[in-house]
Amino acid sequence: SNNGDYVKTTGYSAQPQYNYVNNKRVFDKYQVSNRIVVHTKSTDKTGAMIDKAVSLGATNIDNLSFTLSSYETQCDELLVKATQKARVRAESLAKAAGTKIVGVSGLSASCSPQGQQRVMYNMMMAKSAMMEDSASGAIESTPIESGSVKLYANVNATFFVE
């Protein structure tokens, strides 16, 4: 869809399954598995999506993760602020030492997310919860709570003084 949502296949396999008849291996069928990734910005609909996948026969749901969609922009803003702070701090130190800053000798920066929430999803739990719901007549989707993602920006700056 146009808001960056997508579904894509990340793995596909077909494994032959055999039966043994009178100590002879006899081909029975293929077991096919298809692994897909669902990417959505609609975090409020995640529980309903999982329920739909289970009802359609999905047998493993894992690696549910929440990340920041505006990661690059947020990192850039943080790094600019960190660089400005480094400059102000360096200027006050230079002043205290009776010198002044005349240029930048080096800058290095990094930005990384912390607390990227990962949830392993238990299928047995989901199926029993869905059975309870249908028994009580309540249509409540699997509760998925999003967490917070923290960004850490680090700037190392060295300056020329005179």
Side-chain angles (χ1 to χ4, degrees), residues 14 21 25 40 45 57 62 68 75 103 105 109-110 119 121 129 133-134 144 149 152 159:
V21 182
R25 195 169 77 155
T40 183
K45 297 191 183 88
D62 57 26
L68 214 56
C75 271
S105 127
S110 65
V119 181
Y121 187 80
D133 284 347
S134 58
I144 300 294
V149 176
Y152 291 90
F159 300 95

Side-chain angles (χ1 to χ4, degrees), residues 45-92:
K45 297 191 183 88
T46 309
M49 287 176 186
I50 288 171
D51 294 347
K52 181 77 175 169
V54 171
S55 73
L56 292 172
T59 54
N60 288 298
I61 294 175
D62 57 26
N63 261 349
L64 180 61
S65 63
F66 297 95
T67 54
L68 214 56
S69 56
S70 55
Y71 177 78
E72 292 295 328
T73 314
Q74 301 281 344
C75 271
D76 290 349
E77 286 174 16
L78 275 177
L79 290 169
V80 166
K81 281 182 187 161
T83 305
Q84 288 165 343
K85 277 188 176 178
R87 174 84 193 208
V88 168
R89 191 166 286 170
E91 279 168 352
S92 64

Side-chain angles (χ1 to χ4, degrees), residues 25-44:
R25 195 169 77 155
V26 179
F27 172 76
D28 180 32
K29 62 186 176 231
Y30 280 102
Q31 180 179 10
V32 175
S33 68
N34 186 13
R35 187 165 184 82
I36 61 164
V37 165
V38 177
H39 178 277
T40 183
K41 289 183 180 171
S42 310
T43 49
D44 55 322

Side-chain angles (χ1 to χ4, degrees), residues 22-23 30 71 90 123 156:
N22 299 329
N23 289 335
Y30 280 102
Y71 177 78
M123 289 303 298
N156 289 318

Side-chain angles (χ1 to χ4, degrees), residues 9-10 13 15 27 31 37 43 49 51 53 76 104 108-109 119-120 128 135-136 138 141 145 147 149:
T9 299
T10 58
S13 71
Q15 301 287 332
F27 172 76
Q31 180 179 10
V37 165
T43 49
M49 287 176 186
D51 294 347
D76 290 349
V104 177
S108 68
V119 181
M120 294 309 273
S128 63
S136 65
S141 67
E145 302 296 330
V149 176

